Every structure is written in C-alpha cells, then in structure tokens.
Amino acid sequence: MAQTKLHEKPRNVLLLGSRGLLGNALLPALRRTFDRVRCMDRAELNLANLSQIEAALDGVDFDLIVNAAGYTAVDDCEINERLAYLVNGDAPARLAEIASAKGARMVQFSTDYVFDGCAFLPYREDDAAEPISVYGKSKRAGEQGVLAAGGKHLVLRLSWLFGPGRTAFPDWVLRKAATDGRIGIVSDKSACPSFAPDIADWMIALLHSDKPKGGLVHVCNGGVCTWKEYGEEVLRCALELGLLQEVVPVDPLKLADLTGLTAARPLYSALDTSRFSQLTGVTPRPWQDAVAEHVRCLGSAAATTQAVKSG
C-alpha cells in the first residue's frame, strides 16, 4: 500500500545523474524550487546493479525522484545490449516502483529515438513508438516500466540535448570550424534541439501544474531543423559574436554516408510539444534563441579562460 504524503507538492528531492549534461542543469533549478535536494552518484547507486537499488534507497526520504542518469552512448548500446536494458529499462522501472511505495513521484527522461523516423510531422505522445535501435528500445522499455508503476510519474521525452558545462553538438561544431576551417554536417536528419536549462525550468513548470499529473510529455525547444541547419545557426551566432573571424563553409552530408555508426537512427524525430503547453501554459522558446544564448555563454567562458591565462 502506497504511503500518503501530508503535502501535495514535493519538498525533498533525490536527483540521479547530477554530473551529466542534463543533471548539471537540473540541480540548480531543483535547489531553487524545493527544500532539500540530495544527489546520489554511481558509487552510491549503480543503475546497472538492480539488487543495489532497493538497498541504496532504503531509509532515504524523498517526495520526488528525478532520474537524469542513463546509458546514452547510442552505438555502444548495440554492443552492450544487456547493460542498455538494465540501465535504461529495468532500473527506471524499479525506481518508479520504489517511489510509488513511498507515495512519491518520479520524473524519468526519455528520447526521440523511441520513434522510427518515418513521420513527416512532429510526433505526438500518442503516436506509435517503434524504436529501431537497442538504445531506443531500452529507453522505451524504461518509459513503459515507469508509467506502469504509478499514475503520477512523469516521462519527459527530449531530443538533441545541449547546454553549458558539458560538450555537445554546438561545441563540436565550433571546435571543427576552428581547427578545419570547413565542416561537413548531416542534412537529411531532422529533430528539435533541447537546451538543458530550458528543460530544467519546464520540468519544474510541469511539476507545479495543477492539471492532470503524470504520463508522457514531449519537452524541447520550438521549431524543427536538420543537423546542418542547427550547425549553421551555431556558426552564424559565433561569427556575430566575433568568436569566428570569417564564414565557415558547411558541406551537406547524408546520414547513410557516415562511417563508424553501428546503431540505426531515425531520420525524422521532431517532437510535438502541444501537450506540454496545454499542461503548463508555457510555449517553448525557439531553438535559435537557445542556441544564441549557449554560444554567448561559450564565448564568455572562453574570454574568462583567456583572461586567466593572460593574468
């Protein structure tokens, strides 16, 4: 029998994966919002060890568990299938069961890779999830396990995550542009970039929403783009800010022509965020605005580093 909490809104939060790109953004947002936030790293709670999970959480008081941890190396998941299913599927399901038993809620993060990429319009939450990779299949298993454990648990699907403090696609684009003076980027794969600090704020908005709680919600920045368009916007912002001295040519590539990729990837995996807006009243800002903010932050960080070296 699930315990009943005396307060409706969560106060004590347990965050897993605080050192990752997403967790790095979630932690300050959670600390601004809730009374107490405890982080547990892999040494304390290893999601690949199911028998350890219950023991690690025994006696830990929380009203909300936020799982930002996962096995996200898409190609490696094809090789380490069992590990992928343990970390992305079995462990979230077990966490959700424990949360339900405590009368707590859970937020699990998933991916656009649960779709096969055959759509021509952004995917809605009720569209069929038909993943084409082990990574996508393992994340879909996690979704199903979490949702089956309790009606108040949230599963947030993201795509093309980027943000401060961790290397992501924009950082790679700028590095390649600086070193090579020219860059090739895939032009036949489309989705929606997701800025980690925005995701953190929007998660908080969902948790505080008075509308029906729980279920699947798509959360990402507004608009759809190809990888090439995404990279070109990064370069445009960098040029405007003086981080680049001249225009860097971008050559279009096809996903099928890339070597070294083991896992299949959906060519189109844009996410429809209508449900998120209905629940919160928030309209996600355009991905271009988020990219501009991120590039400005990269420029400020680079200037600070240079000043320290010069000093």
Side-chain angles (χ1 to χ4, degrees):
M1 180 70 67
Q3 301 172 8
T4 301
K5 293 291 182 181
L6 298 178
H7 43 77
E8 182 180 350
K9 302 294 185 183
R11 298 175 60 190
N12 297 325
V13 181
L14 176 62
L15 173 62
L16 308 180
S18 63
R19 297 180 182 179
L21 196 163
L22 180 57
N24 183 61
L26 292 176
L27 182 56
L30 290 169
R31 283 177 169 165
R32 288 193 302 266
T33 309
F34 300 110
D35 294 344
R36 184 170 67 91
V37 179
R38 175 175 175 178
C39 300
M40 295 183 80
D41 59 20
R42 188 181 303 174
E44 294 179 275
L45 198 162
N46 184 354
L47 295 183
N49 186 346
L50 295 183
S51 62
Q52 183 195 15
I53 293 176
E54 189 163 357
L57 296 183
D58 184 38
V60 178
D61 182 36
F62 59 86
D63 310 301
L64 171 68
I65 182 168
V66 178
N67 182 28
Y71 189 14
T72 59
V74 177
D75 292 310
D76 287 351
C77 285
E78 298 292 319
I79 303 168
N80 302 306
E81 182 173 353
R82 180 56 187 148
L83 180 60
Y85 273 96
L86 275 172
V87 175
N88 295 335
D90 299 340
R94 187 70 193 108
L95 290 170
E97 291 168 355
I98 293 171
S100 292
K102 289 176 174 284
R105 296 183 71 188
M106 177 172 171
V107 177
Q108 169 70 14
F109 291 93
S110 192
T111 173
D112 56 322
Y113 277 38
V114 299
F115 296 113
D116 61 11
C118 295
F120 298 96
L121 292 173
Y123 285 98
R124 298 173 62 88
E125 288 84 353
D126 56 1
D127 286 329
E130 298 177 340
I132 56 176
S133 66
V134 170
Y135 171 67
K137 291 173 183 176
S138 67
K139 294 296 283 186
R140 178 56 179 158
E143 291 182 354
Q144 294 171 316
V146 170
L147 295 175
K152 291 187 177 182
H153 298 326
L154 272 171
V155 174
L156 307 186
R157 286 180 179 150
L158 316 178
S159 55
W160 288 2
L161 186 69
F162 71 103
R166 298 293 186 276
T167 300
F169 179 74
D171 312 72
W172 174 82
V173 168
L174 291 176
R175 186 172 65 249
K176 289 288 288 184
T179 57
D180 299 352
R182 191 177 195 96
I183 186 170
I185 305 179
V186 169
S187 62
D188 63 347
K189 178 173 169 56
S190 301
C192 309
S194 302
F195 189 43
D198 286 345
I199 298 301
D201 290 341
W202 297 336
M203 179 194 71
I204 299 298
L206 278 167
L207 289 170
H208 284 171
S209 172
D210 292 327
K211 295 187 178 179
K213 298 174 171 61
L216 279 168
V217 184
H218 291 172
V219 185
C220 56
N221 287 95
V224 182
C225 62
T226 65
W227 258 342
K228 181 173 179 288
E229 291 167 334
Y230 183 10
E232 287 173 333
E233 184 65 15
V234 171
L235 294 173
R236 187 194 68 77
C237 292
L239 186 64
E240 187 176 90
L241 291 168
L243 301 179
L244 295 174
Q245 301 306 312
E246 58 185 7
V247 174
V248 175
V250 178
D251 300 317
L253 304 175
K254 290 190 177 298
L255 183 65
D257 294 336
L258 295 186
T259 59
L261 299 183
T262 305
R265 288 160 167 80
L267 285 178
Y268 184 93
S269 55
L271 301 176
D272 185 309
T273 58
S274 298
R275 182 167 191 255
F276 165 76
S277 295
Q278 290 167 0
L279 290 171
T280 64
V282 175
T283 300
R285 64 169 168 166
W287 66 268
Q288 295 93 331
D289 293 353
V291 165
E293 179 179 332
H294 182 62
V295 175
R296 282 196 300 272
C297 291
L298 291 176
S300 298
T304 301
T305 300
Q306 185 59 40
V308 170
K309 289 181 178 179
S310 298

